[in-house]
Amino acid sequence: MGLSELSPKFFKIEVEDGVGIVKLNRPPANAHNLEMLRELDNIIVESRFDDNVKVIVITSNTPRFFSAGFDINEIKDKSPEYIGLSSQYSKEVMLRMMSTRKLIIASINGHCMGGGLELAMACDIRFIANDDNIKLGMPEVSNLALIPGEGGTQFLARIVGRSKAIYLMTTGKTLTPKEAYELGLVERLVEPEKLYTETMDFARKVASGPAKAVGFAKLAVNEGLDIPLYTAFALEREMQNQALASEDAKEGARAFFEKRKPVFRGK
């Protein structure tokens, strides 16, 4: 089974030009529950094995919201143990995204709050619409007397720095897309009407290039940052050895000596 053959309840899926397009689809706010997380987990696993998918784009099919985060009704109605186990599972899904050897891009086209922002931060690169009506933030501390429970304390600190992360979580401050861009929380700020097109143009470019090498670089960064430097160098060496054995690496060397542009196939 390939990614395009999945029929999840809470996502819409397409595969186009080597790009797996995954659209959150749980109106009204794409708030996720355990069932939705299981579907996302299955989507990521299926993407790993699908040779037709070189890059993954995660965006929203729901107007106004990328995701409002974990469903507050779950917190209200379920036991603390259930919520704790769901939070742990969510972290495991995020880790699976980070350890998948394919670039994952968040295309943020609506409000991105709490667990929704945590999902976006688990992606490798974030594009966002330059629309001041869109808000990003982590309101768990100030609104619910909780802390971000889907990896947010760690993701945010690693992206914007320790003190800024603590400030944003403590105050529950919401950010505009421009403020998020200036903080380094997102990599690309795009006019709203061009967001999908520019995201897909970038994704297609990666998918048509040395996508396997991109995946190895991603893993070297994600898995190397939290281990000693000497061990991280060993990991880099292993990723490089695997890249050297690829068809794309051989094509790159041939093209260099033949003074022509390489034709990569992601193999």
Side-chain angles (χ1 to χ4, degrees):
M1 178 181 288
L3 179 62
S4 61
E5 297 176 63
L6 294 181
S7 300
K9 180 179 179 182
F10 297 125
F11 295 87
K12 290 188 177 297
I13 296 175
E14 304 167 38
V15 176
E16 180 182 309
D17 299 327
V19 181
I21 306 159
V22 179
K23 297 182 179 181
L24 286 74
N25 190 46
R26 189 173 184 250
N30 290 333
H32 51 266
N33 57 8
L34 185 58
E35 185 180 359
M36 191 175 183
L37 286 171
R38 284 174 170 162
E39 289 188 348
L40 177 60
D41 196 11
N42 191 38
I43 287 167
I44 298 302
V45 170
E46 196 64 43
S47 298
R48 284 184 172 185
F49 292 95
D50 191 337
D51 291 338
N52 294 315
V53 175
K54 312 293 185 185
V55 178
I56 301 163
V57 170
I58 297 180
T59 189
S60 172
N61 193 60
T62 304
R64 296 183 57 243
F65 281 90
F66 178 80
S67 173
F70 199 77
D71 193 337
I72 195 70
N73 289 310
E74 298 279 301
I75 297 175
K76 176 172 65 73
D77 296 335
K78 303 289 186 180
S79 69
E81 182 181 19
Y82 179 93
I83 300 305
L85 290 172
S86 298
S87 174
Q88 178 59 32
Y89 179 57
S90 179
K91 292 179 178 73
E92 291 163 355
V93 176
M94 306 295 180
L95 284 172
R96 201 183 312 282
M97 292 170 60
M98 296 176 70
S99 62
T100 293
R101 201 191 62 208
K102 297 183 180 183
L103 194 71
I104 303 178
I105 305 166
S107 186
I108 304 169
N109 53 347
H111 297 307
C112 188
M113 303 295 292
L117 182 53
E118 288 167 300
L119 172 61
M121 290 191 293
C123 297
D124 304 305
I125 296 173
R126 287 157 292 281
F127 284 47
I128 192 168
N130 187 15
D131 180 350
D132 285 345
N133 291 315
I134 292 176
K135 301 300 179 187
L136 303 88
M138 312 212 75
E140 292 91 341
V141 173
S142 57
N143 287 3
L144 299 171
L146 298 172
I147 68 171
E150 298 181 81
T153 60
Q154 304 308 303
F155 291 144
L156 192 61
R158 281 162 170 77
I159 293 171
V160 305
R162 183 178 63 182
S163 296
K164 288 187 178 71
I166 292 172
Y167 174 77
L168 290 171
M169 289 186 291
T170 300
T171 62
K173 175 179 170 61
T174 58
L175 302 170
T176 65
K178 185 177 180 182
E179 289 172 329
Y181 176 73
E182 290 170 346
L183 268 177
L185 187 54
V186 299
E187 284 68 50
R188 292 282 292 272
L189 188 65
V190 184
E191 290 308 307
E193 66 276 8
K194 296 180 180 178
L195 176 64
Y196 186 77
T197 300
E198 290 203 19
T199 304
M200 287 299 297
D201 285 348
F202 179 82
R204 286 191 189 96
K205 183 176 181 179
V206 174
S208 65
K212 200 167 187 179
V214 170
F216 286 135
K218 162 185 170 169
L219 293 188
V221 171
N222 284 348
E223 298 179 8
L225 276 176
D226 296 320
I227 58 178
L229 184 59
Y230 184 86
T231 309
F233 280 168
L235 171 66
E236 182 185 271
R237 183 171 63 249
E238 173 59 23
M239 295 293 101
Q240 179 72 305
N241 288 342
Q242 291 188 46
L244 284 166
S246 70
E247 292 180 23
D248 277 350
K250 294 178 176 64
E251 164 61 12
R254 283 193 301 267
F256 177 82
F257 287 111
E258 293 169 7
K259 295 181 171 55
R260 61 175 173 82
K261 186 175 180 180
V263 180
F264 294 123
R265 302 185 187 281
K267 296 182 179 180

